[in-house]
Amino acid sequence: MTSTTRDTDVRARLDSYFGITARGSSLAQEIRGGFTTFFTMAYIVVLNPLILGFIQDKDGNYLGGGAEPNLGMIAAATALVAGVLTILMGAYARFPIAIAAGLGINAFVAYGLVGSGMFSWPEAMGLIVLEGALVLILVLTKLRIKFLHAVPMPLKKAIAAGIGLFLAYIAFWDSRMVTDDASSATPGAFGEGGSINTVPTLLFLCGILLGGILLVRKVKGALLLSILGITVLAFIVEAIWGFGSASAENPGGWALVVPTFVGQDWSFIPDLGLIGQVSLFGGFDTGVAIVTVLMTVFSLLVVDFFDTLGTMTAVGEEAHLNDEDGIPENSQNILIVDSVAAMAGGAASVSSNTSYIESASGVGDGARTGLASIVTGLAFIVATFLSPLANIVPFEAATPVLVLVGLMMLASATDIDWRDFRIAVPAFLTIIVMPFGYSIAAGIGVGFIAYVVINAGTGRSKDVKPLMWVGAVAFAVYFALPAIRSLLGIG
C-alpha cells in the first residue's frame, strides 16, 4: 500500500467516524476550528492558577500542599486535564465542544470553600468529585437529558442568544473595553474614563474589525486568522514599546498575557504532583455542619447541571447540529463526558472541569465534529509540556473572536415570538441576566422560574412539563441558599 493510498484510507476512516462530510465540513475546517477554540480558551491555563494558587487553606497550605504558591504545578495539571477530557469529548461524543476548569466554580472553591476556612484544599476537591459523581448518576438515569427535552424551544433559543451576549461581555471585560471605574457613579464605564487610551484595548477593537472584514469577504478561517494577525501585531507593539503587564501602576499594559518570548520558561518537564491530592469524604469530617456540606454540594451540582445544558444547546444551535426539538446530536454522550470531567477536575485538584462556551468560536470558524475537539485537546496536551505556547496569545488578540461569535449566536433570538409575553418575558430575562449576572446558570434559573410562574399565574400550568417545575424549584432553593443558611444559623 502506497503512502498516498494510506493517506486516503485514513481520511476516509476519519470522515466515516466523525461524519465530517455529512455535517458539511472538511478536514481543514476541523483542524482550523480546533485551533481557534484552543487559542480562544487557552487563557484558562494562566487564569486558573491565578484564581486557585494564592489562597491558603485552614491548615495554612497553598494548593499542592506547599508553604508557597506553585502556579506552574497548577497550570500543568489544568492543561493536562483539559487536554485529556477534550480529546475524550471529541472521540466519544464526537461533538465540537472543549472542556477545561470551569470559571466561577473555581472561584467559589477558592474563596467560598477554602478561603473561608471551612475546608482544606484536598477536602474541597473531594466535594467536587462527589458532585461530579452525582451529576453522572443523573446523566446515566437519563434525568439530565430529560430536562433538555422539557425546556420549551423559545427558551432554548433564548439560552443560545443569552450566551452570545455573555461571550461578548466577557470579551469586553477581559480586554478592558468595559471597566469598573471606581471614581464614577455608574456601575461600569467604556474604556478608561470613557475613552480608549491604551494600545492593547485599541488592538482588541482592531481585532473585531479585522475579523468582521474577513467574515464579510467570506475568508476561510476568518476567526483564526484574526487571532493570529492581531497576535503578530501585538508582538511587534510589545517589542517596540514594552507595555508589560497591566497593574495599578501600569494601567496601559496587557490584561493578563504579555505577548513576548522574553523570560518564558521553555520547560519540557511539567510538574504533575498536584494530581491525586484529594480527600474524597474529608469534607464530612471537618467539624463543618453536615447541612452546610450538603448545601455546598447542592450549589455545585445546580451550576454544573444546568451550565452544560445551556452550553451544548448554544453550540449545537450555532453548528446547526440540533434536531427539531433543539437537542444536539449525541447529547447523552456529551453529558457523560462532561460529568466525568467534573470528577476528573476534582481528582486532579484543579477544580471542576466543564464544557466551554468558547467552543463556539471554533464552530464559528467551521468546526462541526469531534475531530475539532481532538485538535483542541492535543493543543492543551502540548501546552502541558510547553506552557509558553498557551502564554503568548494576549486576551486582546483572542477575545475579539468572542464578540463576533456572540453576534452569530444572537441571531437565534429572531425565532422567538416577542409579541407573546408569556414566553417573551422569561426569554428576555434569560438573555439579559446571563451577561449582567455573569452566569449562564443564573440566566437559565431566572428564565425557568419566570416561565413557570407566568404560566401558572395565567392559568396555563398544564402547559409546563413536570421537570420544568422541578428545575424552577431547584433554582429557587439555590438562589435562596444564603437566606436559608442564615435562618438555620449555619455557616
Side-chain angles (χ1 to χ4, degrees):
M1 182 182 292
T2 65
S3 59
T4 302
T5 304
R6 283 196 298 269
D7 182 62
T8 302
D9 184 57
V10 169
R11 287 174 177 266
R13 288 174 181 269
L14 288 174
D15 196 339
S16 174
Y17 183 77
F18 290 106
I20 297 173
T21 301
R23 293 186 179 181
S25 185
S26 67
L27 186 61
Q29 273 185 227
E30 297 304 307
I31 294 173
R32 186 176 66 235
F35 277 116
T36 297
T37 295
F38 171 73
F39 284 122
T40 307
M41 60 183 286
Y43 67 85
I44 192 61
V45 179
V46 179
L47 191 55
N48 199 44
L50 294 179
I51 293 173
L52 301 177
F54 293 102
I55 304 297
Q56 289 179 289
D57 64 17
K58 63 181 183 180
D59 300 321
N61 294 322
Y62 291 93
L63 182 56
E68 297 290 337
N70 191 334
L71 302 189
M73 179 189 288
I74 302 172
T78 297
L80 180 62
V81 174
V84 171
L85 270 299
T86 300
I87 290 172
L88 180 61
M89 178 66 80
Y92 179 66
R94 290 179 270 188
F95 200 79
I97 282 185
I99 287 177
L103 288 173
I105 292 181
N106 57 2
F108 176 67
V109 171
Y111 300 103
L113 304 187
V114 177
S116 65
M118 287 195 296
F119 304 101
S120 67
W121 279 110
E123 292 164 353
M125 294 301 173
L127 296 181
I128 293 291
V129 175
L130 293 176
E131 173 268 327
L134 289 175
V135 174
L136 180 59
I137 291 172
L138 295 177
V139 171
L140 295 177
T141 56
K142 302 293 181 72
L143 182 60
R144 207 176 185 191
I145 195 67
K146 289 177 181 177
F147 258 107
L148 195 55
H149 283 279
V151 180
M153 180 62 77
L155 271 187
K156 290 173 184 170
K157 298 286 186 179
I159 289 170
I163 289 177
L165 287 182
F166 182 56
L167 282 176
Y169 184 76
I170 290 173
F172 284 133
W173 187 264
D174 286 345
S175 66
R176 292 171 298 161
M177 180 71 81
V178 174
T179 59
D180 180 11
D181 188 355
S183 63
S184 173
T186 60
F190 175 75
E192 298 290 339
S195 63
I196 299 175
N197 53 14
T198 69
V199 172
T201 304
L202 179 61
L203 288 183
F204 165 78
L205 182 58
C206 290
I208 296 175
L209 299 177
L210 173 61
I213 291 171
L214 295 175
L215 286 173
V216 170
R217 298 181 70 88
K218 301 186 184 305
V219 175
K220 291 184 177 180
L223 301 183
L224 181 58
L225 288 174
S226 172
I227 293 174
L228 296 178
I230 299 300
T231 297
V232 171
L233 185 56
F235 265 83
I236 295 172
V237 167
E238 177 62 19
I240 296 174
W241 285 289
F243 290 110
S245 183
S247 64
E249 297 75 25
N250 182 32
W254 304 93
L256 179 63
V257 176
V258 179
T260 179
F261 291 113
V262 178
Q264 298 285 4
D265 179 15
W266 296 87
S267 175
F268 292 90
I269 305 176
D271 183 353
L272 301 177
L274 188 62
I275 297 175
Q277 292 193 25
V278 58
S279 176
L280 189 57
F281 296 103
F284 291 89
D285 191 29
T286 59
V288 177
I290 188 68
V291 177
T292 298
V293 178
L294 292 176
M295 284 185 174
T296 298
V297 174
F298 174 75
S299 299
L300 293 168
L301 186 146
V302 169
V303 174
D304 203 5
F305 188 94
F306 289 102
D307 247 12
T308 299
L309 292 184
T311 298
M312 61 186 275
T313 300
V315 172
E317 176 79 14
E318 176 62 22
H320 305 293
L321 297 177
N322 291 353
D323 61 20
E324 63 275 7
D325 296 320
I327 310 298
E329 291 184 23
N330 302 329
S331 293
Q332 182 69 0
N333 292 356
I334 295 171
L335 295 174
I336 288 174
V337 176
D338 185 83
S339 304
V340 171
M343 299 170 63
S349 290
V350 293
S351 185
S352 177
N353 272 231
T354 188
S355 299
Y356 257 56
I357 190 55
E358 282 88 344
S359 306
S361 64
V363 169
D365 220 5
R368 293 294 182 272
T369 77
L371 183 58
S373 294
I374 291 178
V375 172
T376 303
L378 290 173
F380 271 114
I381 297 295
V382 171
T384 304
F385 295 90
L386 202 61
S387 60
L389 288 180
N391 197 25
I392 60 175
V393 179
F395 273 12
E396 292 82 358
T399 52
V401 167
L402 299 184
V403 176
L404 298 171
V405 171
L407 165 65
M408 299 173 190
M409 297 177 71
L410 191 61
S412 64
T414 59
D415 297 326
I416 299 172
D417 184 0
W418 294 106
R419 295 167 296 182
D420 181 359
F421 290 107
R422 185 174 58 90
I423 191 62
V425 172
F428 179 73
L429 289 174
T430 298
I431 291 172
I432 208 68
V433 168
M434 283 188 190
F436 285 175
Y438 210 79
S439 169
I440 294 173
I444 294 174
V446 172
F448 273 26
I449 293 171
Y451 179 79
V452 169
V453 170
I454 289 175
N455 274 274
T458 55
R460 303 284 293 273
S461 58
K462 291 184 179 180
D463 293 344
V464 182
K465 294 185 178 180
L467 282 180
M468 283 295 291
W469 285 92
V470 173
V473 170
F475 271 113
V477 173
Y478 170 70
F479 292 143
L481 276 181
I484 293 174
R485 286 194 178 105
S486 177
L487 288 174
L488 296 178
I490 59 179

